[in-house]
């Protein structure tokens, strides 16, 4: 089952209302999904399946989707079908035909004899009697009969007219089935695997935004119509699109052009553009042009589309399979109109959506119900598998006129539909359109009359041969006949014009047939709309979808009842959605102009965004240069004479071996790096490592007091821990993780260079921290203390992972800060004596670039962040990579975009101007795969940012750009390390493991993947495995002590 069918509509209250563009109508009235007092047709309470049990309340559950998914029954009362047993004085001769048919909801009629939704009118007395009956029973308590065609349970034998009307009146249950099939067809059209075979093509339009009111400037539209070309010049003022200035002209097209050459057609269109621009005297600045091309195209971009096939009488040669945008641009260029650029191609359905709005919100769905029918809607881009774009939304052109070409409508089609199809120019194709489109409704009525006449149910005694002529009865006549006041007279006039000499009864029956045909078209259109609504609601993960629907087409405009049925049935079939139907304002191409304007706005915006983000997007050459610079600074840091001037200090740690698995015993570890510190006991045994630990607090008064008080407090905590663990009688080796800047002079000797992280204890800077700890132990008379090693967290990470993987000889931290260490050949370490073996080097690479070697990598945003830090000009590499700074970089970029009116409609946000308000954890959340943009909007809303859908996409792009650069720079630094190790060891290929820790690496959804991919590119001769550390600062410190003890043991 496809993803669309996985979500089934919930039977709750719903609303579909009518809105209008001008003048503003009263507040929309929403259709409710549940009503009382109406009869439920027998066709809606399907027979119980063998072995099934009735649900609570005695009602049998049903599933129109069969095994593919369960659709719940619509709420208690959804409609009724009433049969008239007596002649009606208003409509003589109805004793054997269907009277009032199918009420939807409380009072909105599918058929015009019943009152409107807001009615106040009353039903005829026999109707009222049935309406007051219990659900599913008639006025005398009898079960209603089945209204399936040909069934005659408890009702008089059906006459031919009754059968005709019933066949043209699908039940609500059947419409639920059709909706389910439409969803399945849409699912196939969206899927990469089944798109080519799908009946409903779901073509991407590459329109990813709706108007936001900021569009401004001059633009042009060219529309290819059936018999003419329309040109339109539009000036938008950036005033919310309230007062566009429009000028247009229509050029009649020679009739033979439809069957001529493609070159002649496009040359003619270009000449129309040329003549129009000459007449209006437009300036010679760049003029974007939108091209309305109402034929089925395979679109691969907003301005790139190949014609799939001609229709509507066109058959120009040498166009199918070619890019029609290029053909038009080439024809325009031949006339030297080089300032006119075709930037967008679209169809009229998309124009309807873009032209319409309600309540200050644009439409996200459009329906066209005219000569033909179609729909489009803003789909989640991740659903449109046939395009690479997976973020945001994209307008999808459903091409739903072809729904049913695969047989999905076979049980809905009537004999009249089959005859219309057989006589068409494309039998077997566009079956849905042939039931809904205005081009065919007159033909359906004609065939119904012809078949009823053959059964002696119409025009008795008259010659009806004229009804055998195709197009003898027009859809316009059908619409006129439906009118309550003049319909009978129109019916008589139309039928007499055909020489049929109709009786009063004939006119009345023809009127009923016309109403049934048009009402069915409206109900089927509503079914398609309901499928779109449910799909949008599910894919956006909403409890309730509230959306505007632009509607256009002769059927919708000319027949008010069509819109009433559309809104009522859609509300019943998609009760989880509230939709406002907005009549299209596109009477002069405004919608097409808006598409072009939005395309131009997005192109301009994209250009400015690319310019803004370009300095943060590093090329392969940039990263190779960073790698070379890192290698250069590493060499300088290792040199005895150059170390002082190197930005990468390359500090020796005196850790000369990694774990080999033979380490055994119990060890203490102390981890001091902030307001909390830990004491651990680590037991290294053959079967593995076991740890116990406790966290202690360092009070602020101790952090900022004397050094003696600080280290006395640490010893007291160690003694408390050893007492609780029954270790006071044992002298255990201790590894000390001391995460402050130190100059290490030996494995157990490290001089504090400066305090950070809020510490300022006096008498410590310039002192050996291990000796300070030993002195405190003596003061406290704690003799069971043996400090054998002092390390930082990076070395601890390498050692902790080295216990699990002997190939781990690199440690990497990417969290709040960043650093790296690795095992260097001792002969290359000029700052210590000795040439044998290896020694772990603490690179302190966060300071890389402090000497200015990375100045051209630093952007304006990086400098803004650096200037506000407490160590401006220091730790510059760290400020490009680590979690402490990425959120601030993003915040400064967003402020620049607001200033350029690229974000949040240029409205400044006081909260966004607050330092550190945009935390790095937001990057991890916003970049999470599958996170709906509504959730991104929620994050931004918490920051008091009124973000549109497009704003959320842009914020995500900024986050992705900043985090990608951080990962790639980290990879460049690591590539310098692994390549140096490979060359040191004289290997063609190096296999090495990196022990890694840090919240950015572990928690960001893409950082690790981006780092590893770029490392493979920059160091192709090194096979690097990443192993995440578990407690490097605790377990790692203990393992440093364990390795030290192993080396000194006899």
């Amino acid at each position: 089952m496809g993803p669309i069918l996985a979500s089934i509509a919930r039977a709750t209250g719903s609303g579909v209302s009518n809105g209008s563009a001008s003048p503003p109508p009263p507040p929309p009235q929403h259709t409710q999904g549940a009503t009382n007092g109406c009869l439920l047709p027998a066709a809606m309470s399907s027979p119980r399946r063998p072995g099934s049990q009735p649900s609570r309340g005695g009602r049998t559950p049903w599933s129109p989707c069969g095994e593919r998914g369960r659709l719940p029954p619509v709420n208690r009362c959804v409609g009724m079908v009433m049969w008239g047993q007596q002649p009606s004085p208003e409509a003589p001769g109805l004793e054997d035909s269907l009277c009032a048919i199918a009420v939807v909801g409380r009072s909105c009629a599918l058929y015009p004899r019943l009152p409107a939704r807001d009615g106040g009118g009353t039903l005829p007395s026999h109707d009222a009697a049935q309406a007051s009956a219990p659900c599913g029973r008639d006025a005398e308590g009898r079960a209603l009969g089945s209204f399936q065609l040909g069934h005659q349970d408890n009702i008089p034998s059906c006459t031919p007219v009754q059968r005709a009307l019933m066949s043209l009146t699908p039940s609500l249950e059947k419409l639920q089935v059709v909706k389910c099939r439409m969803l399945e067809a849409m699912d196939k059209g969206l899927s990469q695997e089944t798109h080519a075979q799908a009946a409903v093509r779901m073509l991407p339009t590459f329109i990813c935004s709706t108007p936001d009111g900021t569009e401004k400037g001059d633009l042009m539209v060219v529309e290819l119509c059936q018999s003419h070309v329309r040109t339109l010049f539009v000036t938008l003022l950036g005033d919310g699109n309230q007062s566009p200035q429009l000028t247009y002209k229509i050029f009649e097209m020679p009739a033979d052009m439809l069957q001529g050459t493609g070159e002649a057609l496009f040359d003619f269109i270009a000449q129309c553009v040329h003549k129009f621009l000459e007449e209006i005297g437009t300036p010679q600045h760049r003029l974007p042009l939108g091209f309305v091309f109402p034929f089925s195209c395979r679109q691969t971009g907003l301005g790139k589309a190949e014609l799939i096939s001609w229709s509507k009488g066109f058959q120009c040669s040498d166009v199918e399979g070619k890019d029609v945008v290029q053909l038009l641009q080439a024809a325009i260029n031949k006339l030297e109109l080089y300032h006119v650029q075709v930037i967008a191609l679209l169809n009229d359905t998309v124009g309807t959506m873009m032209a319409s709005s309600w309540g200050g919100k644009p439409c996200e769905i459009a329906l066209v119900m005219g000569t033909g029918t179609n729909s489009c809607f803003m789909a989640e881009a991740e659903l449109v598998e046939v395009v690479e774009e997976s973020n945001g939304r994209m307008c999808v052109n459903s091409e739903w006129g072809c729904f049913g070409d695969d047989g999905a409508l076979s049980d809905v089609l009537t004999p009249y539909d089959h005859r219309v199809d057989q006589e068409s120019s494309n039998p077997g194709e566009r079956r849905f359109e042939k039931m809904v489109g205005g081009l065919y409704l007159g033909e359906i009525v004609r065939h119904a009359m012809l078949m009823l006449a053959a059964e002696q149910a119409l025009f008795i005694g008259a010659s009806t041969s004229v009804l055998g002529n195709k197009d003898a009865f027009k859809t316009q006549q059908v619409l006129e006949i439906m009118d309550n006041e003049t319909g009978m007279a129109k019916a008589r006039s139309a039928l007499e014009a055909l020489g049929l000499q109709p009786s009063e009864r004939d006119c009345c029956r023809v009127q009923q047939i016309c109403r049934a045909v048009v009402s069915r078209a409206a109900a089927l259109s509503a079914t398609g709309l309901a499928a779109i609504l449910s799909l949008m609601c599910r894919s956006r993960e909403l409890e309730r979808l509230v959306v505007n629907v632009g509607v256009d087409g002769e059927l919708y405009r000319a027949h008010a009842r069509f819109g009433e049925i559309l809104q009522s049935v859609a509300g019943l079939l998609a009760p989880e959605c509230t939709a406002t139907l907005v009549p299209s304002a596109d009477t002069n191409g405004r919608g097409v102009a808006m598409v072009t304007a939005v395309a131009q706005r997005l192109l301009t915006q994209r250009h400015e965004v690319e310019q803004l983000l370009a300095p943060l997007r590093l090329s392969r050459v940039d990263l190779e240069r960073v790698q070379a610079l890192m290698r250069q600074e590493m060499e300088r840091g290792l040199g005895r004479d150059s170390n002082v001037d190197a930005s990468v200090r390359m500090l020796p740690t005196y850790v000369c071996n990694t774990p080999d698995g033979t380490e055994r015993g119990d060890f203490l570890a102390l981890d001091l790096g902030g307001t909390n510190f830990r004491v651990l006991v680590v037991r290294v045994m053959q079967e593995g490592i076991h740890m116990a630990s406790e966290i202690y607090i360092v009070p602020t008064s101790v952090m900022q007091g004397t050094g003696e008080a600080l280290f006395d407090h640490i010893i007291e905590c160690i003694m408390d821990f050893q007492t609780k663990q029954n270790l006071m009688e044992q002298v255990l080796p201790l590894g000390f993780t001391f995460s402050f800047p130190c100059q290490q002079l030996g494995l157990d000797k490290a001089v504090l260079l400066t305090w950070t992280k809020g510490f300022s204890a006096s008498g410590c800077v310039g002192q050996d921290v291990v000796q300070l700890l030993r002195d405190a132990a003596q003061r406290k008379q704690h003799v069971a203390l043996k400090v054998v090693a002092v390390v930082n967290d990076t070395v601890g990470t390498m050692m902790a992972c080295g216990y699990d993987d002997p190939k781990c000889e690199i440690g990497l931290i990417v969290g709040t800060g960043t650093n790296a260490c690795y095992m260097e050949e001792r002969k290359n370490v000029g700052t210590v004596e000795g040439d044998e073996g290896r020694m772990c080097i603490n690179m302190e690479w966060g300071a890389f670039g402090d000497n200015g070697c990375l100045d051209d990598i630093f952007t304006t945003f990086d400098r803004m962040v650096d200037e506000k830090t407490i160590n401006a000009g220091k730790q510059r590499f760290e400020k490009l990579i680590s979690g402490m700074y990425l959120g601030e970089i993003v915040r400064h970029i967003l402020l620049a975009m607001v200033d350029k009116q690229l974000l949040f409609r240029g409205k400044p946000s006081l909260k966004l101007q607050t330092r550190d308000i945009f935390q790095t954890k937001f990057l991890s959340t916003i970049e999470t795969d599958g996170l709906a943009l509504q959730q991104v909007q929620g994050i931004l809303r918490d920051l008091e940012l009124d973000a549109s859908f497009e704003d959320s996409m842009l914020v995500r792009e900024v986050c992705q750009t900043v985090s990608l650069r951080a990962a790639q720079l980290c990879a460049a630094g690591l590539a310098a390390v692994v390549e140096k190790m490979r060359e040191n060891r004289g290997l063609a290929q190096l296999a090495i493991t990196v022990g890694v820790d840090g919240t950015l690496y572990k928690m960001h959804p893409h950082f690790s993947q981006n780092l590893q991919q770029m490392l493979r590119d920059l160091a192709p001769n090194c096979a690097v495995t990443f192993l995440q550390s578990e407690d490097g600062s605790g377990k790692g410190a203990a393992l440093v002590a364990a390795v030290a003890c192993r080396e000194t043991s006899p």
Side-chain angles (χ1 to χ4, degrees):
M1 181 169 64
I4 293 175
L5 296 178
S7 173
I8 304 301
R10 293 170 291 281
T12 60
S14 70
V16 180
S17 65
N18 277 313
S20 73
S22 177
Q29 298 182 2
H30 304 306
T31 302
Q32 296 301 313
T35 60
N36 294 313
C38 300
L39 296 180
L40 184 68
M44 298 181 193
S45 54
S46 57
R48 186 181 304 170
R49 293 183 178 85
S52 67
Q53 297 297 321
S55 61
R56 285 186 297 175
R59 297 181 61 198
T60 304
W62 55 276
S63 174
C65 290
E67 297 304 317
R68 292 189 174 273
R70 241 184 114 70
L71 283 171
V74 179
N75 286 358
R76 290 188 54 200
C77 301
V78 293
M80 59 182 169
V81 178
M82 291 165 288
W83 291 79
Q85 304 299 317
Q86 302 297 328
S88 169
E90 293 89 352
L94 292 185
E95 65 275 5
D96 60 350
S97 63
L98 206 60
C99 261
I101 315 169
V103 174
V104 177
R106 179 180 293 278
S107 59
C108 180
L110 272 182
Y111 291 84
R113 281 209 63 237
L114 301 192
R117 297 190 55 78
D118 55 353
T122 58
L123 300 175
S125 59
H126 63 282
D127 293 347
Q130 293 201 42
S132 63
C135 190
R137 301 280 170 174
D138 66 13
E140 298 178 12
R142 296 189 299 265
L144 289 176
S146 168
F147 298 120
Q148 301 293 335
L149 185 59
H151 287 225
Q152 304 180 39
D153 300 333
N154 298 325
I155 59 173
S157 298
C158 291
T159 67
V161 174
Q162 288 174 339
R163 287 198 300 272
L165 292 173
M166 285 189 295
S167 70
L168 292 166
T169 309
S171 68
L172 191 61
E173 183 183 30
K174 178 60 70 176
L175 295 179
Q176 286 276 28
V177 175
V178 173
K179 174 193 170 184
C180 188
R181 293 172 184 168
M182 176 70 86
L183 282 167
E184 184 176 351
M186 292 166 65
D187 200 10
K188 288 181 179 179
L190 290 168
S191 169
Q192 178 72 48
E193 295 181 0
T194 56
H195 173 78
Q197 296 80 38
V200 180
R201 298 297 302 278
M202 306 296 282
L203 302 174
T205 68
F206 295 87
I207 294 170
C208 299
S209 180
T210 51
D212 67 2
T214 65
E215 293 80 12
K216 59 183 177 180
D218 296 333
L219 53 97
M220 188 173 178
V221 171
V222 174
E223 181 178 5
L224 177 60
C225 303
Q226 187 72 29
S227 60
H228 61 269
V229 170
R230 180 170 62 158
T231 55
L232 178 71
F233 188 85
V234 183
T235 300
L236 298 173
L237 306 177
D239 59 354
N241 304 320
Q242 297 299 310
S243 53
Q245 299 174 3
L246 308 171
T247 304
Y248 72 94
K249 183 172 182 178
I250 292 175
F251 295 86
E252 294 298 329
M253 189 163 50
D256 58 355
M257 184 119 357
L258 279 66
Q259 304 292 327
T261 66
E263 183 179 10
L265 174 65
F266 286 98
D267 283 348
F268 176 77
I269 298 172
Q271 289 164 8
C272 295
V273 172
H274 188 222
K275 291 178 183 178
F276 179 60
L277 293 178
E278 281 186 335
E279 290 183 15
I280 65 174
T282 180
Q284 293 297 304
H285 58 68
R286 180 181 180 275
L287 187 62
L289 182 147
F291 182 28
V292 183
F293 190 72
F295 302 97
S296 182
C297 291
R298 183 178 298 104
Q299 206 155 350
T300 55
L302 185 57
K304 186 175 179 63
E306 295 178 357
L307 175 64
I308 296 175
S309 62
W310 288 111
S311 60
K312 306 175 186 178
F314 280 77
Q315 197 58 54
C316 299
S317 63
D318 204 27
V319 179
E320 291 183 354
K322 294 189 176 180
D323 184 350
V324 294
V325 173
Q326 287 186 0
L327 293 175
L328 178 57
Q329 187 69 64
I332 290 173
N333 290 346
K334 282 197 292 185
L335 299 178
E336 299 183 355
L337 299 175
Y338 299 113
H339 64 295
V340 178
Q341 295 185 5
V342 187
I343 66 170
L345 180 136
L346 63 152
N347 63 21
D348 53 351
T349 313
V350 178
T352 295
M353 183 183 77
M354 300 296 276
S356 309
S357 64
W358 172 263
K361 292 178 58 179
C363 290
E364 296 187 72
I365 304 174
L367 308 181
V368 171
M369 289 160 293
T371 306
T373 184
N374 197 14
S375 64
C376 69
F377 65 99
M378 296 300 291
E380 302 303 298
E382 64 184 2
L383 292 180
V384 191
E385 296 180 4
V386 292
V387 298
E388 294 183 359
E389 180 60 52
S390 61
N391 290 321
R393 293 174 184 155
M394 180 179 291
C395 180
V396 171
N397 169 26
S398 73
E399 290 291 345
W400 73 3
C402 296
F403 175 49
D405 289 3
D406 56 357
L409 294 174
S410 58
D411 57 345
V412 182
L413 294 167
T414 68
Y416 323 125
D417 298 310
H418 288 300
R419 290 196 176 188
V420 170
D421 177 61
Q422 291 165 5
E423 290 184 355
S424 69
S425 60
N426 54 348
E429 298 177 9
R430 307 195 70 83
R431 301 308 301 267
F432 187 68
E433 182 170 90
K434 290 171 184 175
M435 300 175 75
V436 171
L439 186 63
Y440 304 97
L441 301 188
E443 283 293 278
I444 297 172
V445 172
R446 178 177 68 87
H447 279 289
M449 291 191 296
L450 187 61
M451 294 179 71
L452 287 171
E455 294 183 82
Q456 297 294 304
L458 283 178
F459 316 126
I460 298 173
S463 172
T464 58
S465 59
V466 66
L467 293 176
N469 298 330
K470 187 178 179 181
D471 295 327
F473 209 74
K474 305 293 186 183
T475 297
Q476 182 59 39
Q477 294 173 307
V478 172
L479 297 176
E480 291 172 351
I481 290 171
M482 291 178 64
D483 186 80
N484 284 338
E485 297 181 0
T486 64
M488 290 289 286
K490 291 289 186 180
R492 181 173 296 279
S493 175
L495 296 172
E496 287 179 347
L498 294 174
L500 294 174
Q501 299 179 348
S503 66
E504 188 75 6
R505 174 179 292 186
D506 291 335
C507 293
C508 186
R509 289 174 171 175
V510 169
Q511 185 182 53
Q512 286 183 294
I513 293 168
C514 291
R515 287 174 174 173
V517 168
V518 175
S519 296
R520 183 186 67 160
L524 288 173
S525 299
T527 303
L529 173 59
I532 292 175
L533 291 168
S534 293
L535 167 60
M536 291 176 67
C537 188
R538 180 204 60 80
S539 62
R540 298 183 184 187
E541 300 178 0
L542 299 175
E543 288 296 321
R544 173 164 293 276
L545 173 71
V546 179
V547 69
N548 290 341
V549 182
V551 193
D552 199 7
E554 297 86 347
L555 285 178
Y556 179 78
R557 291 196 302 264
H559 185 50
R561 195 63 77 172
F562 194 102
E564 294 175 10
I565 298 170
L566 183 67
Q567 76 177 57
S568 300
V569 175
L572 289 168
L573 296 180
E576 73 278 24
C577 305
T578 299
T580 299
L581 305 184
V582 183
S584 173
D586 191 25
T587 56
N588 50 13
R590 181 184 172 195
V592 180
M594 291 313 307
V595 173
T596 308
V598 169
Q600 179 61 24
R601 170 172 63 81
L602 294 178
L603 285 173
T604 302
Q605 181 190 61
R606 174 47 42 190
H607 177 70
E608 294 189 35
V609 168
E610 291 294 337
Q611 280 190 320
L612 203 66
L613 296 181
L616 293 103
R617 290 176 169 152
L618 302 179
S619 66
R620 173 71 175 270
V621 173
D622 292 331
L623 294 167
E624 288 173 346
R625 187 162 54 82
V626 172
Q627 178 182 352
L629 287 170
M630 177 66 84
R631 176 66 179 271
Q632 179 180 312
E633 290 298 299
M634 289 171 66
E635 299 290 358
R636 293 180 66 191
L638 289 170
R640 180 183 302 274
D641 298 328
S642 57
N643 172 267
V644 177
D645 299 322
S647 64
V648 181
R649 296 297 303 278
M650 304 295 285
L651 302 174
T653 67
Y654 297 89
V655 173
C656 298
N657 287 289
T658 56
D660 63 6
T662 64
E663 296 79 14
R664 299 287 184 273
D666 294 349
F667 304 89
L668 287 176
L670 177 62
D671 177 14
L672 177 64
T675 56
N676 296 333
F677 77 98
R678 292 186 303 154
V679 184
L680 307 90
V681 60
V682 180
R683 294 184 168 89
V684 184
M685 298 176 288
Q686 184 172 357
E687 58 269 24
I689 294 178
H690 300 277
M691 296 187 296
S693 66
E694 189 160 344
I695 296 175
Y696 295 90
I697 295 174
V698 183
T700 302
S701 59
V702 175
M703 291 169 58
Q704 300 174 358
T706 67
E708 284 189 1
L710 172 62
F711 282 92
D712 284 351
H713 177 68
I714 293 173
I715 290 296
E716 289 171 359
C717 294
I718 292 174
M719 293 173 66
D720 175 75
F721 178 78
Q722 286 187 281
T723 299
K724 292 177 179 177
Q725 296 290 327
N726 296 319
L727 299 173
M728 285 297 290
E729 303 303 321
Q730 299 183 44
V731 179
L732 300 180
L734 184 145
F736 185 10
T737 297
F738 188 74
S739 300
F740 298 92
C742 290
Q743 180 182 4
Q744 199 151 353
L745 304 177
L747 184 60
D748 61 349
K749 186 177 181 64
V751 175
L752 176 64
L753 299 177
T754 182
W755 283 117
T756 58
K757 307 175 185 178
F759 281 73
S760 60
S762 62
C764 297
V765 174
Q767 301 297 312
D768 177 6
V769 295
V770 174
Q771 189 58 48
L772 292 175
L773 188 64
R774 287 170 175 160
D775 292 345
Q778 286 187 345
R779 287 193 297 273
K780 294 295 182 178
Q781 299 181 350
H782 182 49
V783 296
L785 185 71
K786 180 184 177 182
V787 182
V788 299
V790 58
V791 298
N792 70 10
D793 53 354
T794 314
V795 178
T797 294
M798 182 188 75
M799 297 296 280
C801 292
Y803 183 82
D804 298 317
D805 183 350
K807 290 183 179 179
C808 182
E809 297 185 69
I810 301 173
L812 175 66
I813 300 290
V814 193
T816 306
T818 184
N819 193 18
C821 68
Y822 72 103
M823 298 300 293
E824 176 61 84
E825 305 302 310
R826 190 156 183 170
K827 64 183 179 181
N828 295 334
V829 186
T831 54
V832 297
E833 300 298 327
D835 293 334
E836 297 300 322
R838 295 170 182 158
M839 180 181 288
C840 179
I841 298 297
N842 169 24
M843 295 179 66
E844 290 293 344
W845 79 359
F848 176 42
D850 287 2
N851 60 357
C853 66
L854 292 181
D855 282 358
D856 57 343
I857 296 293
F858 255 58
T859 68
T860 303
F861 312 114
D862 300 313
R863 294 186 183 94
M864 289 177 178
V865 172
D866 180 49
E867 289 168 0
K868 297 297 182 181
T869 60
I870 60 174
N871 58 345
K874 304 294 184 182
Q875 297 293 108
R876 303 195 74 186
F877 191 59
E878 183 170 82
K879 290 171 183 174
L880 299 173
I881 291 177
S882 71
M884 180 175 285
Y885 304 100
L886 298 190
E888 270 295 276
I889 297 171
V890 169
R891 185 179 71 86
H892 280 286
I893 296 172
L894 298 185
L895 285 172
M897 289 185 167
V898 171
D899 187 57
K900 291 180 175 290
Q901 296 193 332
L902 300 173
L903 264 182
F904 315 131
R905 294 176 175 85
K907 297 177 182 177
S909 164
L910 291 177
K911 199 160 187 179
L912 190 59
Q913 294 172 13
T914 305
R915 184 181 171 192
D916 294 326
I917 195 67
F918 199 96
Q919 301 172 33
T920 297
K921 68 178 182 180
F922 293 153
L923 277 74
S924 297
T925 304
I926 288 171
E927 294 184 56
T928 300
D929 290 333
L931 183 72
L933 286 184
Q934 285 90 348
Q935 295 171 272
V936 178
Q937 285 177 295
I939 294 171
L940 298 175
R941 199 174 297 117
D942 291 341
L943 297 175
E944 298 178 6
L945 297 169
D946 183 18
S948 69
F949 196 81
E950 288 75 21
D951 289 336
S952 300
M953 290 176 59
L954 192 49
V955 169
R956 176 179 282 176
E957 181 180 359
V958 172
C959 292
Q960 291 169 337
T961 301
V962 171
S963 66
L964 176 62
R965 182 186 67 157
Q968 291 178 335
L969 285 171
C970 191
L974 203 54
V977 173
V978 297
E979 277 296 311
K980 186 176 193 317
M981 295 178 72
R982 183 183 67 81
E983 293 174 14
N984 285 347
R985 302 176 187 189
L987 299 174
Q989 292 285 332
L990 173 69
I992 197 79
T993 297
V994 177
V996 61
D997 202 355
T999 53
L1000 184 59
Y1001 184 91
K1002 288 183 173 180
M1003 304 303 293
H1004 190 281
H1006 303 296
F1007 190 95
S1008 60
Q1009 179 182 350
N1010 290 334
L1011 187 159
Q1012 293 173 33
Q1013 178 59 57
M1014 183 51 63
L1015 180 60
R1016 285 192 291 270
D1017 293 343
L1018 295 175
N1021 296 320
C1022 300
V1024 183
T1025 301
F1026 286 80
L1027 180 62
Q1028 289 194 26
S1029 170
E1030 298 297 333
D1031 194 14
S1033 56
K1035 183 172 78 173
L1039 285 167
V1040 172
V1043 171
C1045 293
R1046 184 195 74 198
E1047 293 171 348
T1048 58
S1049 61

